């Protein structure tokens, strides 16, 4: 294509004319839209940021909820601009009164508020409930709040209602429903008086499982739009827009979106609850008798089984004790004969040695070194008196142990009518188990009250208890480094005597302590324990009108205290 040289300027002029016209048109359209937008009235709307599902901040921090979407729909319908500000309710309410906000979108009507505020027709009904911790009793009416500390949202309709109708209640104002519910759940104050549905939403969201609604004594509150009298034209716009939305069904759509699912779930739950109740009633009629009958049979079987086991164990124990008595009596007789000879002959031999010493002294003078029995005479002269004394003490100890065994297994009546010297009983028991003590413990202490505590009882039975407690303490030792202390004492009031067996063994778990005296309960089953020792001991002490108590810490040891009534004290105590 060939262009003439004079055509280029005309083309450029046409291009620039078109460009200028286009820019002017775009500027005109933009300016026109801006003027139209600015011609719309901007309404500043205040709302509560913590009142789901009516109004709240979503995950992006933007206004959301039934009230918010309804406000935007009215603004679109009436051709106005709205700027919704979410804040706490107290700030929103004060902001309406001082002119910061033109409208509140979710304010409850009251006669007192109507003196200052103009209200639109209501767009929803909100019920209020009294919330309490689950360990608190149910309430019948609002009068039960008299004298109680009640959490309320500051400047809310319930804050106003409580102050006017229950003057004896103590309102505790807080900023939000969340704060009220969290504070109540933490154990502070008595109740919270808040909107039911928002409170249930927030309780679930915050995981507050220890609070619940105990009463709903206040009738439903009407929520609507509110503005000061000078903004009555704004309220007229919102009332008109709300009426149009109701008539067109738009409000119902918004309601169904935010609240309709809740209504439907309530209906379904109510049906499920009714069906469940009917089913449970039928099952109770059919199965109730069977369950009760089975329960009674099981209890009876358990009781009979326990009786049989106890009787069987008692028979075994009685047979063991009878056999032990026969065996010990025979052994004691056999041991006492040689022991008696030792106790008779050792003093004679000692006297003979003492008489012979001068003769050995004279004989030694005529010999450089004198040996007697393969030992140097001078060494023998120093040591043989101690050898005689040790043999006499050992023989005497054998006799005491044999006598204690004979007393322990001797058949005696169970009547607790003897005057028993508790110190003597403890000493006898310690002698009987001295070998067990030496085998398990390096440090053993015995402290006997010098006032000679006396009780009325059965000496054999008391010794049996003490022996059992000392053997248990020995078995509880992890090694020989721990100490064992046995002591007797008279209580401060002088009415009771105490036997205390304290060990530094492995200790007992806290959940085991309550079962120590249960028949057949033992932690030493693998070592042959029957679980009868402490049970029998407890029965003996109870038969003596006393008590058996345990204190223990794992790894530190156990203290067992036997308490018995004092019947006699020595003259030293008086």
């Amino acid at each position: 294509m060939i262009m003439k040289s004079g055509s280029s300027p005309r083309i450029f002029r046409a291009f620039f004319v078109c460009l200028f016209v286009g820019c002017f048109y775009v500027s005109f359209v933009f300016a026109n839209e801006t003027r139209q937008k600015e011609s719309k009235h901007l309404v500043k709307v205040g709302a509560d940021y913590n009142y789901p599902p009516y109004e709240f901040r979503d995950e992006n921090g933007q206004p959301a909820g039934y009230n918010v979407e309804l406000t935007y729909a009215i603004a679109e319908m009436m051709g106005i601009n709205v700027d919704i500000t979410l804040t706490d309710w107290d700030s929103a309410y004060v902001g309406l009164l001082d002119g910061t906000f033109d409208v509140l979108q979710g304010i409850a009507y009251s006669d007192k508020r109507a003196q200052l505020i103009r209200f639109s027709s209501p767009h929803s009904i909100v019920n209020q409930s009294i919330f309490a911790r689950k360990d608190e009793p149910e309430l019948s009416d609002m009068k039960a709040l008299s004298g109680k500390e009640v959490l309320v949202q500051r400047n809310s309709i319930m804050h106003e209602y409580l102050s006017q109708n229950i003057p004896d209640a103590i309102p505790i104002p807080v900023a939000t429903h969340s704060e009220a519910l969290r504070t109540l759940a933490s154990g502070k104050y008595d109740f919270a008086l808040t909107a039911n549905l928002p409170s249930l939403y927030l309780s679930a969201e915050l995981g507050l499982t220890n609070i619940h609604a105990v009463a709903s004594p206040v009738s439903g509150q009407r929520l609507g739009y509110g503005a000061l009298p000078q903004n009555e034209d704004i309220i007229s716009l919102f009332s008109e827009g709300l009426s149009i939305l109701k008539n067109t069904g738009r409000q119902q759509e918004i309601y169904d979106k935010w609240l309709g699912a809740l209504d439907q779930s309530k209906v379904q739950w109510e049906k499920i609850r009714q069906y469940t109740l009917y089913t449970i009633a039928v099952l109770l009629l059919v199965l109730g008798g069977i369950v009760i009958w089975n329960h009674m049979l099981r209890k009876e079987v358990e009781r009979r089984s326990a009786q049989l086991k106890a009787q069987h164990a008692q028979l075994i124990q009685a047979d063991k004790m009878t056999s032990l008595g026969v065996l010990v009596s025979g052994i004691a007789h056999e041991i006492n004969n040689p022991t008696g000879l030792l106790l008779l002959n050792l003093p004679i031999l000692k006297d003979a040695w003492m008489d012979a010493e001068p003769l050995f002294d004279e004989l030694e003078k005529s010999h450089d070194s004198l040996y007697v029995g393969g030992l140097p005479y001078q060494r023998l002269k120093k040591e043989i008196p101690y050898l005689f004394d040790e043999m006499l003490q050992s023989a005497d100890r054998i006799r005491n142990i044999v006598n204690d065994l004979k007393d322990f297994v001797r058949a005696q009546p169970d009547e607790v009518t003897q005057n028993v010297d508790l110190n003597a009983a403890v000493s006898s028991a310690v002698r009987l188990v001295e070998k067990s003590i030496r085998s398990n413990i390096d440090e053993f202490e015995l402290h006997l009250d010098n006032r000679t505590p006396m009780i009325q009882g059965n000496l054999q039975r008391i010794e049996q208890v003490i022996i059992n407690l000392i053997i248990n303490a020995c078995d509880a030792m992890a090694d020989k480094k721990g100490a064992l202390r046995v002591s007797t004492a008279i209580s401060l009031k002088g009415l009771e005597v105490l036997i205390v067996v304290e060990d530094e063994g492995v200790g007992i778990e806290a959940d085991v302590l309550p079962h120590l005296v249960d028949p057949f309960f033992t932690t030493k089953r693998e070592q042959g324990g029957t679980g009868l020792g402490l049970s029998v001991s407890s029965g003996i002490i109870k038969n003596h009108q006393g008590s058996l108590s345990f204190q223990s810490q794992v790894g530190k040891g156990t203290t067992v205290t036997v308490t018995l009534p004092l019947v006699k004290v020595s003259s030293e105590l008086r």
Side-chain angles (χ1 to χ4, degrees):
M1 181 177 180
I2 301 173
M3 295 180 61
K4 296 181 179 181
S5 60
S7 63
S8 294
R10 287 197 298 271
I11 292 174
F12 281 114
R13 283 197 298 270
F15 174 79
F16 282 115
V17 169
C18 291
L19 181 61
F20 175 79
V21 171
C23 291
F24 177 82
Y25 179 77
V26 171
S27 299
F28 175 81
V29 172
F30 178 80
N32 185 53
E33 289 180 354
T34 302
R35 284 194 300 272
Q36 288 180 359
K37 187 174 181 180
E38 291 177 349
S39 66
K40 291 184 179 180
H41 187 70
L42 179 65
V43 179
K44 293 176 288 184
V45 181
D48 191 341
Y49 77 91
N50 192 240
Y51 201 73
Y54 297 93
E55 46 195 30
F56 59 96
R57 286 196 185 104
D58 63 15
E59 58 187 10
N60 298 318
Q62 299 301 313
Y66 168 75
N67 293 350
V68 172
E69 187 163 342
L70 191 63
T71 297
Y72 283 141
I74 292 174
E76 181 181 3
M77 179 64 65
M78 302 306 297
I80 57 176
N81 288 326
V82 292
D83 179 19
I84 300 176
T85 300
L86 296 179
T87 182
D88 63 89
W89 175 253
D90 181 51
S91 299
Y93 185 76
V94 173
L96 176 68
L97 298 180
D98 65 16
T100 302
F101 302 115
D102 300 319
V103 176
L104 293 186
Q105 66 179 12
I107 182 170
Y109 175 88
S110 72
D111 293 335
K112 180 180 178 181
R113 289 177 173 179
Q115 297 175 7
L116 300 174
I117 300 172
R118 298 293 180 265
F119 288 84
S120 70
S121 57
H123 55 63
S124 54
I125 303 295
V126 175
N127 293 306
Q128 311 290 331
S129 293
I130 301 173
F131 283 79
R133 290 179 288 276
K134 290 186 177 179
D135 56 352
E136 297 292 335
E138 298 283 333
L139 297 181
S140 57
D141 54 35
M142 292 288 287
K143 295 180 181 178
L145 299 180
S146 296
K148 303 295 185 181
E149 295 177 319
V150 184
L151 291 153
V152 291
Q153 189 176 26
R154 186 176 289 106
N155 265 331
S156 67
I157 192 67
M158 287 298 99
H159 190 181
E160 178 182 313
Y161 181 93
L162 194 66
S163 300
Q164 289 180 352
N165 296 280
I166 315 293
D168 293 333
I170 306 170
I172 308 295
V174 294
T176 64
H177 277 50
S178 295
E179 184 178 354
L181 298 172
R182 278 198 302 263
T183 303
L184 180 67
S186 70
K188 297 179 181 178
Y189 308 115
D190 300 309
F191 302 97
L193 181 56
T194 53
N196 185 62
L197 184 55
S199 296
L200 294 177
Y201 256 85
L202 294 168
S203 295
E205 181 178 316
L206 299 172
L208 306 178
T209 58
N210 65 329
I211 60 174
H212 65 143
V214 294
S216 299
V218 183
S219 59
Q221 305 296 308
R222 294 173 293 169
L223 290 189
Y225 294 91
L228 296 179
Q230 59 265 33
N231 290 325
E232 192 165 1
D233 57 331
I234 297 177
I235 285 297
S236 298
L237 288 173
F238 277 84
S239 294
E240 182 180 353
L242 185 59
S243 177
I244 295 172
L245 293 178
K246 287 181 179 178
N247 293 331
T248 59
R250 175 62 177 150
Q251 186 206 11
Q252 188 62 44
E253 292 177 5
I254 299 173
Y255 181 90
D256 291 340
K257 174 182 176 181
W258 293 98
L259 304 171
L262 296 173
D263 292 344
Q264 183 65 23
S265 65
K266 289 179 181 178
V267 172
Q268 293 177 352
W269 171 249
E270 186 65 24
K271 290 181 179 179
I272 293 172
R273 187 178 67 85
Q274 292 177 358
Y275 293 149
T276 303
L277 289 175
Y278 295 149
T279 304
I280 290 174
V282 173
L283 289 175
L284 287 176
L285 290 174
V286 175
L287 301 177
I290 298 175
V291 171
I292 295 173
W293 179 251
N294 286 339
H295 179 74
M296 294 173 62
L297 286 177
R298 185 172 63 253
K299 289 294 183 182
E300 183 65 18
V301 170
E302 290 175 355
R303 187 180 67 84
R304 294 290 181 88
S305 299
Q307 287 180 348
L308 290 174
K309 287 181 180 179
Q311 292 171 358
H312 182 65
Q314 289 172 356
L315 290 173
I316 294 174
Q317 185 68 11
D319 183 66
K320 286 182 178 179
M321 292 302 295
T322 302
S323 300
L324 179 62
V326 174
L327 178 63
V328 169
S329 297
I331 293 175
H333 178 72
E334 296 297 328
I335 294 177
N336 271 341
N337 289 334
T339 302
L341 290 175
L342 289 173
L343 292 172
L344 179 64
N345 295 331
L346 283 172
I348 297 173
L349 291 175
K350 183 177 180 181
D351 291 339
W353 171 260
M354 299 301 294
D355 291 340
E357 271 191 7
L359 298 176
F360 282 113
D361 290 339
E362 291 296 328
L363 185 61
E364 186 183 30
K365 292 178 181 179
S366 60
H367 294 77
D368 293 335
S369 59
L370 179 64
Y371 285 82
V372 178
L375 296 174
Y377 168 68
Q378 289 298 324
R379 176 184 173 187
L380 195 63
K381 181 179 179 180
K382 293 179 181 179
E383 294 182 0
I384 203 164
Y386 297 106
L387 295 177
F388 279 121
D389 289 339
E390 286 181 354
M391 286 188 289
L392 281 170
Q393 291 174 4
S394 297
D396 187 61
R397 182 178 167 194
I398 292 172
R399 182 179 62 183
N400 289 335
I401 291 174
V402 170
N403 290 336
D404 288 341
L405 281 172
K406 289 169 65 179
D407 291 339
F408 180 70
V409 299
R410 182 183 295 119
Q412 295 184 7
D414 287 338
E415 289 80 5
V416 288
T417 57
Q418 307 168 7
N419 286 330
V420 177
D421 181 348
L422 205 59
N423 286 348
V426 172
S427 298
S428 175
V430 169
R431 285 196 298 271
L432 286 170
V433 295
E434 185 175 0
K435 181 178 180 181
S436 295
I437 294 173
R438 290 200 314 269
S439 301
N440 294 277
I441 300 157
D442 287 336
E443 184 181 347
F444 174 73
E445 299 177 11
L446 178 63
H447 302 284
L448 302 178
D449 196 299
N450 57 13
R451 295 171 290 184
T452 313
M454 301 291 291
I455 65 169
Q456 191 174 58
N458 185 305
L459 175 61
Q460 178 184 359
R461 296 302 186 200
I462 295 299
E463 287 181 356
Q464 181 180 350
V465 171
I466 299 169
I467 289 171
N468 183 265
L469 296 180
I470 293 176
I471 289 175
N472 284 347
C474 292
D475 291 342
M477 293 297 178
D479 50 49
K480 299 183 68 174
K481 295 181 180 179
L484 172 61
R485 290 175 283 273
V486 180
S487 61
T488 61
I490 298 176
S491 66
L492 294 177
K493 295 183 179 180
L495 301 176
E496 297 172 326
V497 295
L498 307 175
I499 307 171
V500 180
V501 179
E502 182 181 2
D503 69 68
E504 296 179 356
V506 296
I508 303 171
E509 299 284 349
D511 57 342
V512 173
L513 282 175
H515 304 289
L516 288 179
V517 298
D518 292 350
F520 311 108
F521 179 84
T522 179
T523 58
K524 300 182 291 183
R525 187 80 62 189
E526 292 76 7
Q527 290 78 33
T530 63
L532 287 173
L534 287 177
S535 178
V536 172
S537 298
S538 177
I540 292 172
I541 297 303
K542 286 181 180 178
N543 196 35
H544 284 72
Q545 308 303 315
S547 63
L548 190 65
S549 62
F550 302 86
Q551 292 180 335
S552 184
Q553 287 186 330
V554 176
K556 293 186 178 181
T558 303
T559 300
V560 185
T561 304
V562 179
T563 305
L564 296 165
L566 178 71
V567 298
K568 181 181 179 181
V569 295
S570 67
S571 58
E572 294 179 359
L573 183 59
R574 297 191 184 94

